[in-house]
Amino acid sequence: MYVGRFLIVGPDCGAYRVSSRSFPNRRIIERDDRLTVGPTADAEETDNPYVSYNCVRSVEGGAVLGNGSHVDPVAEKIELGYPARDALATSLLALDYEKDEYDTPRIAGVLDGEEAVIGIVRKDALLVERVTEPTLVATYEKDSPEGIDFAPESAAAAAETVYDHEFEHAVCAAGIVRAGDGFERAIENGQD
């Protein structure tokens, strides 16, 4: 099944995977407090604004995951003191779904302190929920939050698990797991 980009968040872990039929030549790189999706050296040039973005940002005591430019405003609002749910809801509502040929939803998750919040903005809805167990949301097919069995022991295991998930067209993945007062991060770029 092709679900496009998807993420999983739970109180102590999270993961994000790029799955793509249109732009498979991408990878995730680490830059300071963030993980960034971008084209590989052999990727064709594109002016598509949805190909490169921060997919994971560290925030005080937590992290933000997502499939586009909305990750940055969510992180900035949390750093300004917004509760995770409000930062997620206001940013998704403001930026709305992607205005591409598929009306691609924006998905995001926040791990903040001891709670997790997951959200999606589609052409027909905005859903934001607090979650107490690992929960998945995807851009297609599984575009409403649903529980999933996900208990990685490390960030590397989280990234590898979602990269190897049965959903089609894996490109790259990131995983995060609580480590003390913050989160450890890992990247899986497949054959990179």
Side-chain angles (χ1 to χ4, degrees), residues 14-53:
Y16 172 71
R17 186 176 101 177
V18 176
S19 307
S20 180
R21 296 181 285 213
S22 304
F23 297 100
N25 296 330
R26 288 187 277 175
R27 61 191 289 264
I28 297 174
I29 61 167
E30 187 163 3
R31 298 180 321 126
D32 301 321
D33 67 342
R34 63 201 73 198
L35 301 180
T36 303
V37 174
T40 60
D42 60 345
E44 291 183 28
E45 285 192 36
T46 181
D47 60 356
N48 185 319
Y50 305 119
V51 170
S52 298
Y53 52 89

Side-chain angles (χ1 to χ4, degrees), residues 43-105:
E44 291 183 28
E45 285 192 36
T46 181
D47 60 356
N48 185 319
Y50 305 119
V51 170
S52 298
Y53 52 89
N54 292 322
C55 65
V56 176
R57 283 262 315 253
S58 296
V59 294
E60 181 78 30
V64 178
L65 299 88
N67 71 321
S69 60
H70 56 286
V71 168
D72 293 329
V74 173
E76 290 161 6
K77 287 183 182 341
I78 289 171
E79 290 169 350
L80 289 171
Y82 281 60
R85 181 186 67 92
D86 296 351
L88 192 53
T90 56
S91 297
L92 289 175
L93 184 61
L95 289 168
D96 210 1
Y97 62 93
E98 295 177 359
K99 305 305 190 281
D100 60 6
E101 61 186 293
Y102 306 108
D103 295 332
T104 302

